[in-house]
Amino acid sequence: MNDERLRRADREGASATRLELVSTAALRQTMAAYYRSLGDAAERKTAPVAWCSSVGPAELLRALGFAVHFPENHAAMLGAARTANRYLPLAHAQGYSQDVCSYLTSDIGAHLAGETPLTAFGLKSTPRADVLVFNTNQCRDVRDWFEWYGRTWGVPVVGISSPRSIGDVLENDVDAVARQIESLVPALEQAAGTRLDDARLAAALGASRECSRLWQACLNTAARRPAPFTFFDGTVHMGPAVVLRGADEAAAYYRILLSELEQRVREGVAAVPGESLRLYWDGMPIWGRLRALSTTFAEFRTAVVASTYCNSWVLADLDPADPFRSIARASLELFIARSEEPKQRYLERMIDCYEVDGVVFHDCRTCPNNSNTRYGMPQRLTERLGIPTLVLDGDVNDLRCFSDEQARTNIEGFVEQLADARAASHQAARP
Amino acid sequence: MSCFAGIDSGSWNTKTVVIDADGRVLGSAVVRSGADLAAAADRTFADALAKAGVASHEVSAIWATGFGRNSVAFAHGSRTELDCHGRGAAFYVKGPLVVIDIGGQDAKVIRLDAGGQRVSHRMNRKCAAGTGSFLDEIALRLGIGIGELDRLAAQSGEDVELSSFCTVFAGTELLTHIRAGKRPADLAKAAYRSLVKRVLAMDVFQGRVVATGGVVAFHPTMVKLLEAELRNPVIVPPHPQEMGAFGAALAARDGAASVGPA
């Protein structure tokens, strides 16, 4: 019944919105169960609570029995709910600049206001941490963010000071990061009140690797024409890959999603009805405008089929047989930790794999580390591949840095350019 | 006679141009956009028709552009101002070329290839520096009308630098210069130089450069400074303020595909 509905909508091309995935119901259940269990840990003390930066050593924390809270996920919820701008000034007044990460400032601001979207899942407040664990492979801000909470609650803050902007990942770097991860264990064991069990760590890594494999397979379906899945779907459906690393529930969800996406591929169902153009998104999502942007692209029959962001939770290097070094390698192989040259190689591969007509770069005002527009990348890609690029100015959470009208004109102008170029090339190809 | 019209619903002004099948301008009109964009479009369309001596039933197609393009209910199609400024400029100047359009609220740099096909565009960030609003702010600080700024700048004898990125900071920097005894004429010219530098930082300029937009139409000093910085002539086509509307009229004539929502 649902398939028939999807096929009909695709044929008619009537809707200017993406087709909702049926799996979304299972996603909601999976995420709600995670939040409730986090609430139980924090408020009924069923487990110790660790905070972890998005690409921190989550598997190690899971193996030690922590309930793991990911504050970047929490901040993204504030952005998506468009409440972030209420909280930002509270953190700015504490001396945290308007120019630093608006995840950090909105999250701290929400804490100061005593508010959280997690109340929808029965939590009274953001879960209080027993320990906070950062990895600076993505930016320094996660450390500053966690240290604010560490000072506020008087709890330990530990982490990894990672090499950044690295070219090829060298064994020396892997060794150095692996040693740092191992050195966290005593402090984490103390906070957890238990000893690290090698078998549990291997199991957590196995679960994450399986989750990565399945998430990657879901993302890869968008290489097909028409794409059954878009970047905008990915920003929602990546939830389990972010917050349930090291837990079997993530892989269980992605089996459901992958099955639906493969069915869409078999039946030729497009996520964007009438898909005409295909784009790649680089940079952070603009959480408070995801729906609006998704609708705008869909109105122009343009599918944003892939992104660096959603692919950043594919941690293919995790290996239960070599836990510390593989966690280290996975954290260093990430796009965000790399220098311009490997980043460019990665983007070139993605452009080729997903057969996109153009690339949209989001220049995120408060996230310089994930804005790949500032050292000539769009120009180099256009020069090397002839691929058109568009830069949208905005921010991950601070909507004061985003202009709806300007973004719409930029997007529509870009679509016009790509459509005109395609029409001209078809005309030139006619005998 | 078969005629075509383009309406550019801009942030400050709404412009209409009526053309014949050869692209000759038969009439044009400019009115303040104000808060009622639809009413401004109605008014400017009626004015342009009257000036062209054309009845509305003689207009075969009307296309809209500008940020208010979707508010022009009687338009048959729309293209962005990025397309229309490029299309209009390419009518007068053979590509490859770079079009600089400076409007009240935004600045655009549009690159066209030899066939007049758009290959890229850049818009200013969410900031008034580098746009007509910047000049308005400076005129206000100098206590003169915007219409006097260009005449004042023409009397400048000394180069003064306005280095601030931000329009508000540039305003306070201006006050510092006034306290230091700098002449208003030199400060007026400094404002144009600052605007030019902001625009030139948006892209690399090679080949022919065409300038359009209301700022270009009414501030020839800015064009001279642009030429000095580029060390190349800058082409200002006819009716630069109405170039977007002219491009929309050409799109109407050519039956360009409208990519906007149905």
Side-chain angles (χ1 to χ4, degrees), chain A residues 299-300 365 379 390 393 399-403 405-406 408-410 412-414 416-417 420-421 424, chain B residues 67 69-70 78-83 87 106 117-126 259-261:
Chain A
E299 280 174 354
F300 302 140
R365 176 69 172 262
Q379 288 82 351
L390 172 71
D393 291 309
L399 291 176
R400 294 170 300 186
C401 304
F402 180 75
S403 161
E405 280 304 330
Q406 196 181 70
R408 187 174 174 91
T409 296
N410 260 315
E412 190 168 339
F414 193 51
E416 282 174 347
Q417 176 191 331
D420 286 352
Chain B
F67 97 103
R69 60 190 173 278
N70 295 323
S78 72
R79 298 285 287 193
T80 63
E81 52 270 45
L82 298 158
D83 176 84
R87 194 179 287 269
D106 67 20
Q117 190 85 29
R118 182 153 47 97
V119 291
S120 72
H121 73 261
R122 303 254 190 281
M123 291 179 77
N124 61 303
R125 302 193 69 157
K126 189 181 175 184
V259 303

Side-chain angles (χ1 to χ4, degrees), chain B residues 14-141:
Chain B
T14 298
K15 292 81 74 176
T16 293
V17 169
V18 180
I19 62 169
D20 66 15
D22 294 325
R24 274 190 295 267
V25 175
L26 304 175
S28 67
V30 180
V31 302
R32 280 281 182 205
S33 296
D36 189 343
L37 300 180
D42 286 342
R43 214 163 57 245
T44 186
F45 181 59
D47 286 357
L49 287 181
K51 286 179 184 169
V54 166
S56 60
H57 70 265
E58 293 179 87
V59 179
S60 306
I62 305 162
W63 280 50
T65 188
F67 97 103
R69 60 190 173 278
N70 295 323
S71 302
V72 185
F74 57 92
H76 303 114
S78 72
R79 298 285 287 193
T80 63
E81 52 270 45
L82 298 158
D83 176 84
C84 291
H85 281 272
R87 194 179 287 269
F91 181 84
Y92 292 110
V93 184
K94 188 173 161 41
L97 59 92
V98 186
V99 182
I100 297 172
D101 175 70
I102 305 173
Q105 298 288 324
D106 67 20
K108 300 177 274 291
V109 175
I110 304 154
R111 286 165 172 270
L112 306 177
D113 66 15
Q117 190 85 29
R118 182 153 47 97
V119 291
S120 72
H121 73 261
R122 303 254 190 281
M123 291 179 77
N124 61 303
R125 302 193 69 157
K126 189 181 175 184
C127 168
T131 73
S133 296
F134 173 75
L135 296 178
D136 281 312
E137 173 71 18
I138 297 300
L140 190 69
R141 297 276 181 167

Side-chain angles (χ1 to χ4, degrees), chain A residues 194-404:
Chain A
T194 187
R195 298 297 301 274
L196 178 64
D197 180 291
D198 290 345
R200 288 187 72 184
L201 180 57
L205 283 160
S208 279
R209 189 166 67 176
E210 179 64 356
C211 166
S212 278
R213 184 186 70 77
L214 290 161
W215 176 231
Q216 172 87 82
C218 290
L219 294 170
N220 284 351
T221 60
R224 305 296 291 267
R225 283 177 189 268
F229 194 63
T230 70
F231 159 64
F232 297 105
D233 297 310
T235 58
V236 176
H237 289 267
M238 67 193 279
V242 175
V243 300
L244 285 166
R245 272 173 53 204
D248 292 328
E249 292 91 330
Y253 171 66
Y254 289 119
R255 284 188 197 98
I256 295 170
L257 177 62
L258 183 59
S259 167
E260 183 178 0
L261 294 174
E262 286 174 338
Q263 187 177 349
R264 278 192 174 188
V265 169
R266 282 193 301 276
E267 296 175 356
V269 174
V272 173
E275 173 189 303
S276 173
L277 294 168
R278 295 161 65 87
L279 299 178
Y280 183 86
W281 180 282
D282 183 81
M284 298 296 289
I286 302 168
W287 287 109
R289 287 293 182 271
L290 277 185
R291 181 170 289 278
L293 287 168
S294 166
T295 302
T296 298
F297 282 110
E299 280 174 354
F300 302 140
R301 300 184 190 284
T302 297
V304 183
V305 296
S307 67
T308 313
Y309 184 74
C310 291
N311 274 279
S312 293
W313 276 266
V314 174
L315 303 167
D317 290 289
L318 295 178
D319 181 1
D322 188 11
F324 292 105
R325 283 180 58 80
S326 75
I327 295 173
R329 187 180 299 282
S331 77
L332 291 168
E333 288 281 357
L334 280 176
F335 181 91
I336 196 169
R338 312 297 292 281
S339 65
E340 288 287 283
E341 200 180 309
K343 280 182 176 175
Q344 186 173 332
R345 286 199 302 265
Y346 177 94
L347 290 172
E348 288 179 8
R349 279 199 307 276
M350 297 298 264
I351 289 163
D352 180 54
C353 169
Y354 288 92
E355 296 181 341
V356 293
D357 300 289
V359 181
V360 178
F361 284 91
H362 172 206
D363 190 333
C364 179
R365 176 69 172 262
T366 69
C367 188
N369 295 304
N370 212 359
S371 294
N372 299 297
T373 54
R374 301 183 182 188
Y375 298 88
M377 182 73 82
Q379 288 82 351
R380 285 199 302 278
L381 283 176
T382 300
E383 197 175 316
R384 243 183 78 74
L385 304 180
I387 186 112
T389 61
L390 172 71
V391 177
L392 286 182
D393 291 309
D395 192 65
V396 63
N397 265 14
D398 189 346
L399 291 176
R400 294 170 300 186
C401 304
F402 180 75
S403 161
D404 290 299

Side-chain angles (χ1 to χ4, degrees), chain A residues 14-341:
Chain A
S15 167
T17 55
R18 295 186 335 273
L19 289 181
E20 194 71 34
L21 285 148
V22 176
S23 306
T24 304
L27 172 75
R28 289 199 183 109
Q29 285 173 9
T30 303
M31 295 300 284
Y34 158 74
Y35 292 126
R36 281 196 300 271
S37 129
L38 189 60
D40 286 346
E43 293 169 11
R44 291 167 45 204
K45 305 295 177 196
T46 55
V49 175
W51 284 31
C52 186
S53 58
S54 63
V55 277
E59 293 77 15
L60 179 58
L61 300 172
R62 286 265 176 207
L64 281 160
F66 284 105
V68 188
H69 172 65
F70 294 86
E72 284 141 291
N73 176 64
H74 186 254
M77 292 169 87
L78 301 174
R82 291 185 289 281
T83 54
N85 278 78
R86 288 215 308 262
Y87 306 131
L88 292 167
L90 300 175
H92 298 156
Q94 298 273 321
Y96 287 79
S97 161
Q98 294 178 48
D99 296 321
V100 305
C101 171
S102 61
Y103 269 1
L104 178 163
T105 44
S106 56
D107 182 76
I108 289 177
H111 184 81
L112 291 167
E115 295 178 14
T116 171
L118 296 177
T119 52
F121 303 97
L123 282 80
K124 293 190 183 70
S125 61
T126 42
R128 183 189 164 96
D130 295 299
V131 64
L132 300 106
V133 188
F134 62 82
N135 186 343
T136 61
N137 58 348
Q138 56 189 109
C139 63
R140 64 164 277 180
D141 299 61
V142 287
R143 180 178 191 154
D144 294 281
W145 184 353
F146 286 16
E147 286 177 343
W148 186 89
Y149 281 100
R151 286 192 296 273
T152 301
W153 287 328
V155 296
V157 180
V158 297
I160 301 146
S161 295
S162 174
R164 283 197 33 75
S165 196
I166 54 176
D168 293 331
V169 175
L170 303 175
E171 292 308 304
N172 280 347
D173 290 330
V174 175
D175 289 343
V177 172
R179 278 199 301 276
Q180 285 195 61
I181 298 170
E182 283 198 74
S183 73
L184 298 177
V185 171
L188 295 176
E189 286 179 335
Q190 190 173 2
T194 187
R195 298 297 301 274
L196 178 64
D197 180 291
D198 290 345
R200 288 187 72 184
L201 180 57
L205 283 160
S208 279
R209 189 166 67 176
E210 179 64 356
C211 166
S212 278
R213 184 186 70 77
L214 290 161
W215 176 231
Q216 172 87 82
C218 290
L219 294 170
N220 284 351
T221 60
R224 305 296 291 267
R225 283 177 189 268
F229 194 63
T230 70
F231 159 64
F232 297 105
D233 297 310
T235 58
V236 176
H237 289 267
M238 67 193 279
V242 175
V243 300
L244 285 166
R245 272 173 53 204
D248 292 328
E249 292 91 330
Y253 171 66
Y254 289 119
R255 284 188 197 98
I256 295 170
L257 177 62
L258 183 59
S259 167
E260 183 178 0
L261 294 174
E262 286 174 338
Q263 187 177 349
R264 278 192 174 188
V265 169
R266 282 193 301 276
E267 296 175 356
V269 174
V272 173
E275 173 189 303
S276 173
L277 294 168
R278 295 161 65 87
L279 299 178
Y280 183 86
W281 180 282
D282 183 81
M284 298 296 289
I286 302 168
W287 287 109
R289 287 293 182 271
L290 277 185
R291 181 170 289 278
L293 287 168
S294 166
T295 302
T296 298
F297 282 110
E299 280 174 354
F300 302 140
R301 300 184 190 284
T302 297
V304 183
V305 296
S307 67
T308 313
Y309 184 74
C310 291
N311 274 279
S312 293
W313 276 266
V314 174
L315 303 167
D317 290 289
L318 295 178
D319 181 1
D322 188 11
F324 292 105
R325 283 180 58 80
S326 75
I327 295 173
R329 187 180 299 282
S331 77
L332 291 168
E333 288 281 357
L334 280 176
F335 181 91
I336 196 169
R338 312 297 292 281
S339 65
E340 288 287 283
E341 200 180 309

Side-chain angles (χ1 to χ4, degrees), chain B residues 99-254:
Chain B
V99 182
I100 297 172
D101 175 70
I102 305 173
Q105 298 288 324
D106 67 20
K108 300 177 274 291
V109 175
I110 304 154
R111 286 165 172 270
L112 306 177
D113 66 15
Q117 190 85 29
R118 182 153 47 97
V119 291
S120 72
H121 73 261
R122 303 254 190 281
M123 291 179 77
N124 61 303
R125 302 193 69 157
K126 189 181 175 184
C127 168
T131 73
S133 296
F134 173 75
L135 296 178
D136 281 312
E137 173 71 18
I138 297 300
L140 190 69
R141 297 276 181 167
L142 291 174
I144 60 172
I146 184 68
E148 297 172 72
L149 195 67
D150 190 78
R151 183 186 49 75
L152 186 62
Q155 297 162 22
S156 170
E158 182 191 356
D159 284 350
V160 175
E161 198 72 24
L162 276 181
S163 55
S164 297
F165 266 159
C166 160
T167 296
V168 175
F169 282 7
T172 54
E173 194 181 351
L174 205 67
L175 294 176
T176 306
H177 285 307
I178 289 169
R179 280 201 301 275
K182 296 296 180 190
R183 297 169 59 226
D186 298 328
L187 298 175
K189 191 171 177 184
Y192 287 115
R193 191 179 297 107
S194 170
L195 190 150
V196 163
K197 285 190 173 170
R198 286 302 297 258
V199 170
L200 293 185
M202 288 170 66
D203 207 340
V204 176
F205 294 84
Q206 287 167 337
R208 279 184 283 272
V209 175
V210 175
T212 67
V215 171
V216 169
F218 297 109
H219 301 270
T221 298
M222 202 217 65
V223 178
K224 282 183 199 151
L225 289 170
L226 204 52
E227 288 180 323
E229 287 287 335
L230 288 168
R231 297 180 188 176
N232 255 323
V234 170
I235 303 161
V236 179
H239 46 82
Q241 187 184 19
E242 296 98 322
M243 188 54 64
F246 177 65
L250 291 174
R253 182 196 68 173
D254 299 342

